[in-house]
């Protein structure tokens, strides 16, 4: 058992492994053998799998089942609805080098983020100081190490056998608050790391299986919601210890040699698994795609501490996917825009690891996803971009704002493969931008300091498939097992009553198959003492696109109302707004609140803390998914169904779908098939009449570019991408046939450009050796 | 490995396949034969004889013509030119770049603001089919979505590649 000496003294270097190697040398040799041979750790033959396939499968099944069940058991400890209702947790098992062997279900983006934390400890000689011993616990949520955002807290426990390190287990939960400037787990009032909430860098927070008291005292007072924080930590520790027991039991049963061999071979097996799926499902070639999202910060309802952040910008992520003849692939994000003074920056690990969340829903839908897939993939994320910042001040609290958008474009790219090969069942037009994030805090209905982040976002509309509509209010890209959560539970967790929860009409992208619809909930503040809330989502832009003729989903908008008079109306038995904002251009809620209410109904979907009194209203609109195929190909009967279900506003049935429908006395819609056929013919003719040959349109657009005629945010986006990527600039100039002297410099835009020229990377801190796993 | 009948593939293309079979397709390893069956089904849907090599959309195909050149072709027969070039450059485009044009497709508050983002709809000049909708910022170059490596693809399929791939 651990003796006190080991707690403060580090290990003699090389004493943790039988080989006598330091953890860093051990890992570097694996990387070297992988590079030289193309096989993980040079394992050309899977000796255990080939010689004793049953033992191999037995070990895998036991570990995987144990990971899944540990998650289910541990989940019950948590009180936070984010963990307990939404399942925002995950447990992952790693080999000694920090490469993932197997993972549970849940927010599996953390396969990579926790692996990056382990690798950071390895590379920065944690074994010498603070030491790695049986019974230790390490806590990490540092975004500069690879975490997605500070609210994902990871507990990492080393696993030993006979005083030798045999692996690691990590558990992560999405906590409700990390003490950022604004309340809520993904807040956005701050613009730098220093306001992003508490960040813990692989700190030793427990010994002898016991959390250290200084850690408990310090961490609990640094967050707004200590009750949830404490139970979340217990959840992570319990899960990690269950999994550690499981590994110890497996070693007793199978022998340590077999376990260690398995822990290496399974990664190579995972690598081969991905290449075989690429070969069986995709088409070699080059796919180009792009994504954007709006960062509208010049608006008066965005209060940030620093004047240089008060600019409208657009985040930009072009991607070139190359599927190679050898069935490996490369994802190159050349041309991305610069990081910014907001909380939507991302570390490369968050980006690459998140891609596996997406791939498990399409290319590798198996429980065998592990770090092997990463070894079969080349990623390039250029340094200085939003997804690989070159400055240690960046904030990351809502990295999802753009991560989800940039992945949506990857669905489109890869779906072209599936469509081309006839695997239509796999085609997905993309994912919605899972937002709005209803967040806020203050003093809640229990009289306690509180913060909220409604995870109703976990059930947005999904993208359309090539053979069926997307699912309505079903899922979010970051958690394949999403759930909107029970109203009753949210009402216990938040001082916000539900006036209604209903499907969001017209939110899914149109198409032959439409995107899944989102939903909307209208919340009335009730029982709070001091309370603020804010909005977080896309509004001026869409972050998904349709596929092959389908439309993007609807964008977001904001509705909030103050001085509503609702408490009086309730007392007087008058009509109340019920939650359905059928057509935001023809407001309904306003008919059921005081005529003098202060209403904000606009496209400003990012705001910072605003004061909400009891009786005030907040509309939480969860987005729909993108559509597939020309809407004129949609079965008219499906449009009829959409009308009868209130999924579609009648005017768009006519204008977009070309469907002629009549409503009978009972309010039931019926399509006129013959009229529809005629109408669709007319629309096709109208398209031919209104459309311009692309090359003619390019001439007109080229003139605008020569004249620098575009909004500041569009020009800022291009200028920042041009400055980081001469290649992107050259391609742009070549496409538009621009003269050599044409240029667009950010300096010419008259906006602050802090960070563009002067920055300082985390690697410039003393003794810091960042783990770099992608080309940059 | 599970294989499927031509009827099942036909129903899949039509969007009429029963859920059990569709679920099987989703959950079982992929059937390599699908490509051949799919090409047969697609070929029967078009009125022309050029051989379909690869669909780029429900009505858009890379085909091999009688003289073995490879072009991108609309279901209606419209020829978009050499398959290595971006077919969009030979299409018609309708750009929704102001509030009025956006309002034709979404309520004002549910559509992008055109200072930030526009919709570019690409139509076939002959039949008016909308083959693609791009949603970029103004100024964004037309995107060449997909450049297949047909030679490597046919290699993967264990089939002879077209002469001019
Ligand atoms: Zn046509």
């Amino acid at each position: 058992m651990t003796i006190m000496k080991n707690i403060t003294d580090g290990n003699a270097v090389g004493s943790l492994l039988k080989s006598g190697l330091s953890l860093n040398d051990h890992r570097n040799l694996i990387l070297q053998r992988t590079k030289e041979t193309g096989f993980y750790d040079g394992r050309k033959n899977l000796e255990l799998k080939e010689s004793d396939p049953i033992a191999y499968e037995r070990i895998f099944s036991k570990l995987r089942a144990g990971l899944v069940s540990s998650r289910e058991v541990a989940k019950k400890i948590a009180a936070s609805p984010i963990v307990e209702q939404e399942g925002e947790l995950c447990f992952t098992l790693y080999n000694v080098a920090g490469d993932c062997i197997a993972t549970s279900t849940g927010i599996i983006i953390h396969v990579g983020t926790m692996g990056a934390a382990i690798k950071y400890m390895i590379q920065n000689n944690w074994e010498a100081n603070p030491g790695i011993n049986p019974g230790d616990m390490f806590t990490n949520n540092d975004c500069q190490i690879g975490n997605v955002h500070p609210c994902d807290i990871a507990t990492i426990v080393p696993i030993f056998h006979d005083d030798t390190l045999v692996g690691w287990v990590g558990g992560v939960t999405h906590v409700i608050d990390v003490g950022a400037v604004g309340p809520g787990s993904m807040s956005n009032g701050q613009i730098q790391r220093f306001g992003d909430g508490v960040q813990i860098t692989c700190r030793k927070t427990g010994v002898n299986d016991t959390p250290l008291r200084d850690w408990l005292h310090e961490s609990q007072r640094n967050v707004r919601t200590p009750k949830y924080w404490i139970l979340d930590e217990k959840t992570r520790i319990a899960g990690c210890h269950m999994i550690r027991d499981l590994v110890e039991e497996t070693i007793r049963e199978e022998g340590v040699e077999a376990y260690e061999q398995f822990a290496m071979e399974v990664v190579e097996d995972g690598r081969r698994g991905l290449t075989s799926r690429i070969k069986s499902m995709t088409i070699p070639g080059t796919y180009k795609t792009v994504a954007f999202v709006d960062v509208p910060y010049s608006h008066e309802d965005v209060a940030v501490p620093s004047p240089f952040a008060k600019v409208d910008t657009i985040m930009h992520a072009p991607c070139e996917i190359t599927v190679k003849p050898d069935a490996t692939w490369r994802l190159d994000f050349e041309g991305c825009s610069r990081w910014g003074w907001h909380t939507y920056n991302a570390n490369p690990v968050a980006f690459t690891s998140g891609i596996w969340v997406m791939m498990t829903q399409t290319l590798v839908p198996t429980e065998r996803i592990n770090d092997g897939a990463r070894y079969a993939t080349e990623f390039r994320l250029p340094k200085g971009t939003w997804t690989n910042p070159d400055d240690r001040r960046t904030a990351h609290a809502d990295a999802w704002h753009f991560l989800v958008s940039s992945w949506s474009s990857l669905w489109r790219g890869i779906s072209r493969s599936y469509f081309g090969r006839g695997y239509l069942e796999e085609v997905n037009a993309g994912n919605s931008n899972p937002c709005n994030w209803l967040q806020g805090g203050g003093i809640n209905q229990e009289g306690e300091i509180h913060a909220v982040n409604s995870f109703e976002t976990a059930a947005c509309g999904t993208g359309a498939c090539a053979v069926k509509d997307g699912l309505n209010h079903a899922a979010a890209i970051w958690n394949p097992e999403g759930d909107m959560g029970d109203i009753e539970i949210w009402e216990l967790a938040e001082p916000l009553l539900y006036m209604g929860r209903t499907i969001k009409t017209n939110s899914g992208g149109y198409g032959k198959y439409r995107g899944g619809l989102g939903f909307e909930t209208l919340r009335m503040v009730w029982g709070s003492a001091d309370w603020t809330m804010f909005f977080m989502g896309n509004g001026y832009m869409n972050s998904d696109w349709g596929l092959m003729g389908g439309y993007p989903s609807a964008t977001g908008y904001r509705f909030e109302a103050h001085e509503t008079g609702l408490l009086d109306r309730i007392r007087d038995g008058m009509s109340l707004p019920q939650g359905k904002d059928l057509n935001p251009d023809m407001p309904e809620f306003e008919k059921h609140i005081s005529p003098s209410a202060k209403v904000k109904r606009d496209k400003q979907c990012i705001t910072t803390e605003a004061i909400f009194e009891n009786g005030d209203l907040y509309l939480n609109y969860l987005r729909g998914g993108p559509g597939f195929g020309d809407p004129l190909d949609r079965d008219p009967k499906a449009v009829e169904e959409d009308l009868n279900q209130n999924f579609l506003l009648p005017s768009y049935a006519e204008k977009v779908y070309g469907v002629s429908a009549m409503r009978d006395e009972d309010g039931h819609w019926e399509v006129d098939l013959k009229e529809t056929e005629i109408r669709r013919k007319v629309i096709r003719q109208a398209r031919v009449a209104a459309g311009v040959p692309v090359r003619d349109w390019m001439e007109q657009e080229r003139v605008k570019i020569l004249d620098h005629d575009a909004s500041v945010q569009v020009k800022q986006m291009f200028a920042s991408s041009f400055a980081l990527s001469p290649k992107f600039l050259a391609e742009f100039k070549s496409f538009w046939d621009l003269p050599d002297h044409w240029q667009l410099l950010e300096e010419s835009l008259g906006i602050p450009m802090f960070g563009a020229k002067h920055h300082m990377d985390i690697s410039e801190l003393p003794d810091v050796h960042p783990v770099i796993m992608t080309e940059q | 490995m599970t294989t499927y009948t031509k009827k099942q593939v036909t129903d899949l293309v039509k969007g009429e396949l029963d859920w059990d079979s569709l679920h099987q397709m989703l959950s079982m390893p992929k059937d390599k034969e699908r490509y051949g069956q799919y090409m047969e089904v697609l070929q029967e849907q078009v009125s022309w004889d050029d051989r379909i090599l690869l669909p780029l959309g429900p009505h858009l195909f890379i085909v091999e013509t009688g003289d073995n050149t490879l072009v991108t072709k609309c279901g209606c027969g419209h020829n978009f030119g050499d398959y290595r070039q971006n077919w969009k450059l030979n299409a018609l485009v309708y750009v929704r770049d102001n509030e009025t044009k956006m309002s034709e497709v979404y309520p004002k508050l549910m559509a992008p603001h055109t200072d930030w983002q526009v919709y570019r709809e690409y139509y076939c000049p002959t039949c008016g089919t909308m083959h693609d909708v791009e949603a970029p910022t103004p100024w964004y170059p037309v995107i060449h979505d997909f450049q297949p490596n047909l030679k490597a693809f046919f290699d993967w399929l264990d089939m002879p590649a077209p002469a001019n791939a």
Side-chain angles (χ1 to χ4, degrees):
Chain A
M1 207 48 230
T2 315
I3 52 171
M4 285 307 288
K5 187 172 169 290
N6 280 351
I7 295 165
T8 46
D9 294 356
N11 317 88
V13 170
S15 64
L16 291 178
L17 301 179
K18 265 183 294 193
S19 62
L21 291 169
S22 70
L23 295 183
N24 196 34
D25 286 346
H26 171 78
R27 176 166 179 263
N28 284 336
L29 284 170
I30 292 172
L31 292 177
Q32 191 186 327
R33 286 190 287 265
T34 306
K35 197 172 174 207
E36 282 166 7
T37 63
F39 302 97
Y40 178 72
D41 190 40
R43 291 182 189 246
K44 197 170 174 182
N45 300 312
L46 302 179
E47 282 168 21
L48 178 67
K49 188 178 180 184
E50 284 152 17
S51 67
D52 193 351
I54 292 172
Y56 183 90
E57 293 303 325
R58 198 166 55 223
I59 297 174
F60 181 83
S61 307
K62 186 177 173 94
L63 295 175
R64 163 72 180 176
L67 282 157
V68 173
S69 68
S70 298
R71 174 177 176 271
E72 291 305 320
V73 174
K75 192 162 96 172
K76 302 291 175 212
I77 298 169
S80 156
I82 295 178
V83 176
E84 193 266 331
Q85 288 269 303
E86 308 299 316
E88 292 286 309
L89 77 167
C90 165
F91 292 95
T92 304
L93 183 60
Y94 300 88
N95 65 20
V96 171
D99 284 327
C100 160
I101 302 172
T103 189
S104 73
T105 48
I107 41 173
I108 56 178
I109 187 170
H110 295 289
V111 164
T113 66
M114 292 190 286
I118 296 168
K119 289 167 184 125
Y120 188 87
M121 291 192 273
I122 292 172
Q123 189 157 310
N124 287 272
N125 203 9
W126 249 236
E127 71 186 291
N129 174 4
I132 297 164
N133 297 296
D136 282 354
M137 298 172 203
F138 298 89
T139 302
N140 184 65
N141 75 335
D142 191 333
C143 297
Q144 293 283 358
I145 284 183
N147 197 18
V148 180
H149 46 172
C151 62
D152 289 332
I153 312 286
T155 298
I156 294 168
V157 169
I159 305 174
F160 284 81
H161 175 76
D162 288 346
D163 292 332
T164 299
L165 184 72
V166 292
W168 308 78
V169 54
V172 65
T173 61
H174 180 125
V175 304
I176 219 159
D177 185 87
V178 278
V181 166
S185 61
M186 293 158 61
S187 60
N188 55 14
Q190 67 277 14
I191 59 157
Q192 298 192 28
R193 176 187 169 101
F194 315 109
D196 226 13
V198 59
Q199 292 206 36
I200 309 126
T201 306
C202 297
R203 172 164 160 192
K204 188 185 281 198
T205 52
V207 295
N208 291 329
D209 288 349
T210 309
L212 293 166
R213 186 167 284 124
D214 61 340
W215 156 249
L216 295 176
H217 283 228
E218 181 184 312
S219 61
Q220 290 165 16
R221 69 188 57 192
N222 273 331
V223 301
R224 290 179 178 83
T225 49
K227 274 200 289 197
Y228 290 131
W229 174 271
I230 291 165
L231 289 171
D232 265 23
E233 178 160 45
K234 286 183 193 290
T235 299
R236 297 191 302 270
I237 293 171
C240 285
H241 286 171
M242 279 188 272
I243 293 157
R244 185 182 61 187
D245 291 347
L246 172 78
V247 171
E248 287 168 357
E249 187 184 302
T250 308
I251 289 175
R252 276 197 300 277
E253 287 168 0
E254 306 287 346
V256 71
E257 288 78 16
Y259 178 80
E260 289 188 309
Q261 194 166 3
F262 171 84
M264 298 301 282
E265 282 186 15
V266 75
V267 181
E268 168 59 16
D269 208 11
R271 191 194 67 78
R272 293 178 195 186
L274 177 65
T275 56
S276 95
R277 298 285 297 191
I278 288 176
K279 192 161 183 181
S280 67
M281 290 177 71
T282 73
I283 296 172
T286 306
Y287 305 74
K288 286 192 175 171
T289 183
V290 64
F292 310 90
V293 86
D294 49 332
V295 182
Y297 270 31
S298 67
H299 194 276
E300 60 185 5
D301 287 350
V302 178
V304 288
S306 310
F308 51 83
K310 285 292 292 177
V311 285
D312 289 343
T313 55
I314 294 172
M315 298 177 77
H316 174 217
C319 175
E320 183 173 298
I321 305 171
T322 309
V323 176
K324 302 180 184 182
D326 70 357
T328 61
W329 63 343
R330 176 180 173 83
L331 287 84
D332 189 340
F333 291 83
E334 176 85 36
C336 282
S337 52
R338 193 175 68 245
W339 58 268
W341 300 107
H342 47 63
T343 58
Y344 323 127
N345 302 295
N347 179 280
V349 175
F351 193 89
T352 58
S353 189
I355 284 174
W356 303 119
V357 184
M358 180 197 150
M359 291 302 160
T360 54
Q361 296 168 61
T362 171
L363 190 60
V364 218
T366 102
E367 55 186 20
R368 304 214 167 213
I369 187 87
N370 63 31
D371 256 321
R374 188 169 51 80
Y375 285 96
T377 306
E378 291 170 35
F379 279 109
R380 182 161 172 276
L381 302 169
K383 191 78 179 167
T385 60
W386 66 271
T387 185
N388 192 355
D390 54 9
D391 195 292
R392 65 186 179 85
R393 291 169 293 178
T394 51
H396 297 238
D398 190 13
W400 287 114
H401 184 48
F402 199 39
L403 287 175
V404 295
S405 318
S406 50
W407 296 333
S408 189
S409 78
L410 304 184
W411 282 113
R412 293 198 303 277
I414 197 166
S415 286
R416 293 182 199 286
S417 266
Y418 304 149
F419 189 84
R421 290 189 72 156
Y423 301 131
L424 305 185
E425 68 276 15
E426 299 288 349
V427 171
N428 181 352
N431 55 268
S432 66
N433 183 337
C435 59
N436 171 59
W437 293 99
L438 180 167
Q439 294 174 90
I443 303 289
N444 69 1
Q445 69 274 34
E446 320 280 350
E448 293 184 340
I449 297 172
H450 195 49
V452 301
N453 184 1
S454 164
F455 258 72
E456 289 191 309
T457 34
C460 286
T462 67
C465 175
V467 295
K468 60 186 179 66
D469 293 342
L471 301 172
N472 299 332
H473 44 76
I477 178 67
W478 28 258
N479 184 347
E481 282 147 54
D483 185 328
M484 64 177 70
D486 295 334
I487 284 179
E488 293 78 7
I489 300 291
W490 290 124
E491 286 186 338
L492 284 175
E494 299 162 343
L496 306 168
L497 296 183
Y498 278 82
M499 303 300 285
R501 183 190 245 185
T502 175
I503 199 150
K504 185 63 184 164
T505 301
N506 236 73
S507 57
Y510 316 113
K512 178 179 180 180
Y513 299 103
R514 60 158 174 75
L517 293 119
F519 69 107
E520 59 189 335
T521 66
L522 184 66
R523 313 291 296 273
M524 185 184 80
V525 183
W526 176 247
S528 75
D530 302 324
W531 197 249
T532 67
M533 285 193 286
F534 52 95
F535 287 79
M536 184 56 241
N538 68 311
Y540 298 98
M541 298 185 88
N542 254 309
S543 62
D544 57 81
W545 296 17
L547 181 65
M548 299 176 182
Y551 278 96
S553 63
T555 60
Y557 66 91
R558 159 177 76 146
F559 171 84
E560 62 178 279
H562 307 266
E563 298 171 31
T564 60
L566 272 178
L567 303 183
D568 294 339
R569 291 181 72 92
I570 291 169
R571 186 196 58 213
D572 299 341
M574 296 170 74
S575 70
L576 302 173
Q578 301 265 298
K580 182 85 186 163
D581 201 30
L582 182 68
N583 180 346
D585 291 356
M586 299 164 75
E588 178 67 23
F589 297 154
E590 284 85 332
K591 295 176 188 162
H592 307 281
I593 57 178
S594 164
S596 62
K598 295 196 162 47
V599 172
K600 296 191 177 188
R601 186 184 267 283
D602 58 26
K603 299 195 66 60
Q604 184 64 29
C605 293
I606 297 180
T607 61
T608 51
E609 282 185 279
I611 295 172
F612 277 73
E613 305 287 352
N614 290 324
D616 286 359
L617 290 172
Y618 182 115
L619 180 70
N620 196 23
Y621 156 23
L622 295 313
R623 312 290 195 257
F628 173 90
D630 189 340
L632 296 186
D633 284 345
R634 184 165 180 78
D635 180 354
K637 282 286 174 191
V639 178
E640 181 181 282
E641 177 71 8
D642 287 343
L643 287 169
N644 284 318
Q645 295 270 7
N646 230 345
F647 291 172
L648 179 68
L649 292 169
S651 66
Y652 301 100
E654 194 181 310
K655 286 189 280 193
V656 178
Y657 285 112
V659 161
S660 175
M662 294 289 282
R663 200 170 195 184
D664 67 19
E665 292 153 6
D666 304 328
H668 184 85
W669 290 93
E670 197 164 341
V671 294
D672 181 331
L673 292 175
K674 220 167 162 186
E675 261 311 303
T676 297
E677 207 181 312
I678 296 167
R679 191 181 292 273
R680 287 181 166 183
K681 205 174 267 175
V682 170
I683 292 179
R684 284 199 177 88
Q685 286 163 353
R687 284 175 177 172
V688 174
V692 179
V694 168
R695 289 175 202 277
D696 294 353
W697 165 76
M698 282 168 60
E699 276 307 310
Q700 303 159 21
E701 193 76 356
R702 181 172 177 274
V703 172
K704 289 186 191 165
I705 295 168
L706 288 170
D707 293 346
H708 286 189
D709 174 9
S711 63
V712 170
Q713 59 271 27
V714 167
K715 287 191 279 194
Q716 191 278 340
M717 178 198 88
F718 278 110
S720 104
S721 287
F722 292 158
L724 285 168
S725 173
K727 183 169 177 243
F728 181 73
L729 173 62
E731 283 172 4
F732 182 88
K733 288 177 78 166
S734 153
F735 180 83
W736 294 111
D737 193 22
L738 301 175
D740 286 346
H741 61 80
W742 187 90
Q743 60 175 4
L744 177 70
L745 301 176
E746 211 171 333
E747 289 88 327
S748 70
L749 302 179
I751 52 172
M753 44 185 292
F754 277 44
K757 299 248 150 96
H758 309 287
H759 37 79
M760 183 181 171
D761 192 53
I762 191 81
S763 59
E764 294 175 57
L765 288 179
D767 191 39
V768 167
H769 307 284
V771 178
I772 296 164
M773 290 186 281
T774 47
E775 277 180 60
Q776 47 184 34
Chain B
M1 189 180 298
T2 316
T3 55
Y4 305 95
T5 62
K6 189 175 166 197
K7 165 90 170 59
Q8 283 174 307
V9 176
T10 307
D11 288 349
L12 176 74
V13 172
K14 285 194 201 152
E16 291 169 3
L17 187 63
D18 63 282
W19 171 246
D20 285 346
S21 307
L22 192 63
H23 188 257
Q24 196 176 19
M25 284 181 175
L26 279 164
S27 55
M28 298 301 285
K30 293 303 174 198
D31 42 317
K32 201 170 170 185
E33 306 73 26
R34 182 86 64 92
Y35 170 80
Q37 293 173 310
Y38 183 44
M39 289 308 114
E40 258 183 66
V41 172
L42 294 179
Q43 200 76 50
E44 284 165 15
Q45 284 182 354
V46 295
S47 57
W48 30 264
D49 295 330
D50 297 342
R51 177 187 161 209
I52 297 177
L53 300 175
L54 194 67
L56 301 177
H59 303 286
L60 195 65
F61 312 93
I62 294 177
V63 304
E64 185 179 31
T65 64
D67 61 1
N68 291 345
T69 55
L70 306 188
V71 300
T72 304
K73 199 165 180 170
C74 181
C76 75
H78 184 90
N79 186 337
F80 285 96
D82 189 300
Y83 87 108
R84 287 163 300 189
Q85 313 238 301
N86 190 355
W87 63 268
K88 288 179 193 164
L89 299 178
N90 294 321
L92 299 179
V93 68
Y94 182 73
V95 185
R96 298 189 187 276
D97 54 4
N98 62 40
E99 194 180 294
T100 312
K101 289 179 184 172
M102 272 296 179
S103 300
E104 290 165 2
V105 288
Y106 276 108
K108 188 177 138 194
L109 280 176
M110 296 174 89
H113 192 298
T114 52
D115 280 356
W116 299 71
Q117 185 173 34
V118 297
Y119 286 173
R120 303 197 303 221
E121 302 177 359
Y122 294 92
Y123 307 141
C124 168
T126 302
C127 69
T129 292
M130 181 158 70
H131 288 302
D132 197 49
V133 182
E134 291 182 341
T137 61
W139 291 19
Y140 214 83
V142 175
I143 291 160
H144 191 175
D145 299 310
F146 181 27
Q147 180 66 69
N149 178 343
L150 289 178
K151 203 165 172 308
F153 179 47
F154 280 87
D155 215 35
W156 284 10
L157 293 168
D158 295 319
M159 291 169 75
N164 288 314

